Amino acid sequence: MQLDKMVNYHKALADPTRMRILLLLSRGEMHGQALAKKLNLSQPTVTHHASKLREVGLIKERRDKNTVYFTLNPELIRQHAEATVRFIFEKGEEEEDMSELNETLEATVLRNFFAKDGKLRQIPAQYKKKLIVLQMLAEKLEPGRIYPERELNEWIKQYHEDFATIRRELIMHQFMYREREMYELNPREMWTRWDQVR
């Protein structure tokens, strides 16, 4: 997800009806008809606004026969809020703020987990160390480039055989964005930062 995708996320929020939908869903799952009734809107209007929210990941939906139920995606909302704050206030300061201790830890992790030929010996079990490894791999990918899933799998395999786990971890920790089996690096501001993990 590039910067324009971050902007699209905030555009989706910039509507009073969508904000009201999110507020209602913060209390629990609701189907489209219940939302329409609560908001005093037509079903097609609610469907339109819900699709805009779903496109950027703010809500999820599930179908039960002919009824569509919506739920909030609170984790994504928090991640975008934190990414926005980092983008505005901390952009360009990451390297300057990194302490000597963090630099030592990063060097140690990369030395211990990567062989001299560049292959990953194993995926670290410890969360912070795993994020360091994922960041190093993400930094080797080309920003702005769209990677088909098969191509990304082959790229990961040059570092480690378990490409499925690494690919999943890159998505889970916001290093990459996936849409219809196509993958792209997120802006660095969205990556889960290992140096902020306690």
Side-chain angles (χ1 to χ4, degrees):
M1 189 187 328
Q2 296 306 311
L3 184 57
D4 61 335
K5 291 191 175 78
M6 277 183 78
V7 171
N8 288 337
Y9 169 88
H10 287 283
K11 281 182 181 176
L13 287 176
D15 183 279
T17 299
R18 290 174 208 157
M19 292 297 282
R20 289 189 194 102
I21 290 172
L22 294 175
L23 182 61
L24 288 170
L25 293 179
S26 71
R27 299 166 190 161
E29 183 181 68
M30 293 181 74
H31 56 74
Q33 289 173 333
L35 283 170
K37 187 176 179 182
K38 288 266 189 187
L39 295 166
N40 197 25
L41 295 171
S42 68
Q43 180 72 37
T45 300
V46 169
T47 302
H48 165 77
H49 286 295
S51 70
K52 295 288 185 185
L53 294 170
R54 187 176 42 79
E55 281 171 17
V56 296
L58 278 161
I59 63 172
K60 302 172 189 174
E61 69 175 43
R62 70 174 180 88
R63 289 186 177 271
D64 185 4
K65 297 179 182 173
N66 292 330
T67 306
V68 180
Y69 291 86
F70 301 102
T71 52
L72 212 57
N73 188 354
E75 188 56 36
L76 187 83
I77 293 170
R78 289 188 191 98
Q79 287 171 353
H80 272 281
E82 290 166 8
T84 300
V85 170
R86 284 201 304 266
F87 181 82
I88 294 169
F89 295 106
E90 300 176 21
K91 187 170 175 63
E93 295 178 6
E94 292 169 357
E95 289 76 17
E96 293 172 22
D97 293 342
M98 189 180 288
S99 69
E100 193 174 314
L101 183 64
N102 279 338
E103 289 175 357
T104 303
L105 174 63
E106 183 178 30
T108 303
V109 168
L110 297 179
R111 186 172 60 249
N112 290 343
F113 284 91
F114 283 92
K116 288 184 179 177
D117 63 0
K119 287 198 178 286
L120 181 61
R121 293 188 178 104
Q122 68 184 67
I123 301 169
Q126 188 182 350
Y127 184 55
K128 184 180 275 195
K129 292 177 180 179
K130 179 165 60 177
L131 288 176
I132 291 172
V133 165
L134 291 171
Q135 178 179 306
M136 195 284 289
L137 292 173
E139 287 170 347
K140 291 181 177 292
L141 289 163
E142 191 178 324
R145 180 175 173 184
I146 308 291
Y147 291 86
E149 188 168 290
R150 184 177 292 182
E151 183 183 336
L152 183 63
N153 291 345
E154 290 302 315
W155 183 87
I156 294 170
K157 273 198 232 176
Q158 67 183 321
Y159 297 99
H160 197 274
E161 284 302 308
D162 191 357
F163 60 86
T165 296
I166 292 176
R167 190 185 69 223
R168 185 172 60 248
E169 294 281 352
L170 286 168
I171 296 295
M172 282 172 52
H173 300 294
Q174 299 290 312
F175 291 97
M176 297 196 84
Y177 170 75
R178 176 182 62 207
E179 188 171 352
R180 296 187 182 89
E181 297 187 356
M182 304 298 280
Y183 296 75
E184 186 178 357
L185 269 182
N186 275 327
R188 194 179 184 98
E189 292 78 20
M190 293 189 69
W191 296 2
T192 302
R193 285 178 55 172
W194 62 266
D195 59 338
Q196 293 184 345
V197 173
R198 294 183 180 181

